[in-house]
Structure formats: C-alpha cells, structure tokens
Amino acid sequence: MLGVLMNAEKYTEPSEEFQLLGFLWNLRTKIVKLLDSKQAKYLELLLEVTVENYAWTLEVVEHMLGFLAWICYVEPLGRFKMQAIYAWQGLFGDNHNIKKPVQGAQDGRLGIELTFWIDLLSGDKPIQKTIQVNPYPLSTTFIASDSSNTHISVLVGNHWEQFALHEGWKGGKCGWNINFPEAVGVKFAVRMFFDLHPEVTGVILTAFCDNTVVCDAWMAQRSRSPAINVMLLRIEELLVRNGCDLDITWINSEANAAADKISRNEIPDGAPRWRQSGAKVLPSE
C-alpha cells in the first residue's frame, strides 16, 4: 500500500487468523497460541543448556530469560517459575566472561523451575491464552482486602470475612512482615469472589489493596520475597482456573476504610459473612 517492499515469505492474505511475533492470533476467538515451531525451538534451546556439566554464561541466562518471558504472554503461570533463574542472572553481575556450571544447582528451586518449563514445552497441550478485554464492572462487586498485625480482612460486595493471625507470625525463620499477609488477603479476596460468583468468567477483575509492595509485585509479576511469589502464583492459579485476569489497584487507607476496620477487629453490623470461619492463618514458628 505504501510502496515499501515486504518480505514475500511472510505475506498473508487478510484473515481472522494470522501469525505475528511468534504467536498464532485468532481475532474471532481471541486465542493467542505459541507457534509449534517456536515451541520446538525453545524446548531444544532449553534442553541444550540444562544438560549435566553445561556451563552457563550471562548471555545464556539472558537468552533463556528472554524467550521464557516471551512465552509468559500466553502462559501466565510461567511468570512465577523464573525467580531462581533471575537469581542466577544476578550471580554474573555485568561480567560476560564468567562461566558457572549448573551441576548440583538443579536440586532446589532452579531445578523445579527448569522442570516446569521443560514439561510445558514438551507436552501435547497447546500453549495458548484467551485474551480478556471485558472489565468486570466495579459497580457490581467491590473487591478489597487489608491486613493489620492481628487480622486479615476481605470484602467482596457486601460480603466480608476476617482471618486471625497467629501470635508470633511476624519475623521468625520465614522473615515475614506485613507485606505477606497483605498478599494473602488479596488471594482470599479473589477466592471469595469466585466462591460467591462461580458463573463469572472471561473478564478482568479489579481488586483494591493499600499495600504498594503487593501492588508493585503483581505489576512486575515477581517479588524479592519467595513467600509473596507463592501467593502471587496461587492468585494466578485461581484466575486461570476461572478464565479471568486481574488488576490489583492501589488504594489509600482512607478509601479502604471498610476493609481496614475489619482487619482491626471492628466487625460490621448486619453485613453477611462469607463462611463464618474465623479461621487462623500464618502459623507461628
């Protein structure tokens, strides 16, 4: 149309389904699928660098993180299966000459992550995702959570729930601080929403949280805290199971007053409780 020479091999007639950026896009079904050729290529690359005694370099780790992050566009659970690989990237600093064999390192978190990716890429199930474009109306159901040093609170519409924290939960071997129960609160809120609204699917939910660490971690899809990463993974599993996406939006404490009061053991009168559980979470050391 503009008189610019295009690659004839990559030209296709206008269609509701087309290949772009390593994915197969379907405009009618809104399904984006990793191309079979890319899946085979990435599996070959991953198997090559995970053989016994293979020495990783900074280039190897950066390349691996690059194509794994690309796959995460259609495999959202993968975002939380890269933390140990990111940690390995940090071992090199900016030195491109260091070689580090991975022998023996794959017994821990690194091995778990690499096994996840190899199993994913070698499986028969298509690696794909349905793109959600419809936000769930905030006027229908307000979703929020909060935490104090003693309780976690969640709100979904006019339903509420409160979970007591065990004494001694903070610090200890796990090094927990207030950010972790805040992340747990978001997970409870999402679980509570789907429990109350099992019919909802194919939408983008919005949950409000007044903890910037949790909001930033969800935006980045990773946290320096292994415990928060586990919670983010659990949230994503709930979303995948129900075919939804989630935006976690920061809200100041004044605007989050209802959830804040419940977290401080100020129980609302007349509002329906989720499960009447009163369960305790985060066991003490």
Side-chain angles (χ1 to χ4, degrees), residues 141-155:
T141 301
F142 182 82
I143 306 172
S145 63
D146 200 5
S147 177
S148 67
N149 288 323
T150 58
H151 295 84
I152 295 173
S153 64
V154 290
L155 286 173

Side-chain angles (χ1 to χ4, degrees), residues 157-269:
N158 64 339
H159 286 76
W160 66 276
E161 189 53 87
Q162 179 197 72
F163 301 88
L165 300 175
H166 279 275
E167 293 184 7
W169 69 267
K170 186 180 287 190
K173 295 179 182 179
C174 297
W176 286 333
N177 56 30
I178 193 64
N179 299 324
F180 182 48
E182 291 275 8
V184 175
V186 176
K187 190 205 84 166
F188 282 156
V190 173
R191 180 182 172 188
M192 181 173 166
F193 174 86
F194 287 125
D195 192 51
L196 294 170
H197 303 280
E199 77 287 353
V200 173
T201 187
V203 298
I204 304 171
L205 302 176
T206 298
F208 293 95
C209 174
D210 61 10
N211 184 277
T212 57
V213 171
V214 174
C215 294
D216 291 346
W218 182 256
M219 179 67 69
Q221 295 296 288
R222 60 190 293 256
S223 168
R224 293 181 180 179
S225 166
I228 291 179
N229 278 326
V230 170
M231 284 302 105
L232 298 183
L233 174 61
R234 298 292 176 261
I235 294 169
E236 192 63 65
E237 288 173 341
L238 287 168
L239 294 168
V240 170
R241 190 182 309 154
N242 292 275
C244 292
D245 284 339
L246 174 70
D247 287 333
I248 299 180
T249 301
W250 180 81
I251 186 174
N252 62 42
S253 297
E254 290 76 17
N256 201 29
D260 180 74
K261 288 180 179 180
I262 298 173
S263 73
R264 300 182 189 281
N265 213 23
E266 298 180 29
I267 305 304
D269 294 329

Side-chain angles (χ1 to χ4, degrees), residues 10-61:
K10 294 186 176 181
Y11 174 78
T12 58
E13 294 291 337
S15 171
E16 67 179 21
E17 188 171 87
F18 57 91
Q19 295 182 16
L20 181 68
L21 303 175
F23 300 116
L24 181 66
W25 302 70
N26 190 301
L27 298 178
R28 180 176 56 83
T29 62
K30 298 183 178 66
I31 292 176
V32 182
K33 175 182 176 294
L34 183 68
L35 292 175
D36 293 340
S37 58
K38 293 293 185 181
Q39 182 173 340
K41 175 184 176 181
Y42 295 152
L43 176 61
E44 182 181 357
L45 290 170
L46 200 55
L47 291 174
E48 179 183 345
V49 301
T50 54
V51 297
E52 189 175 358
N53 294 323
Y54 191 94
W56 284 8
T57 63
L58 181 58
E59 285 81 3
V60 167
V61 179

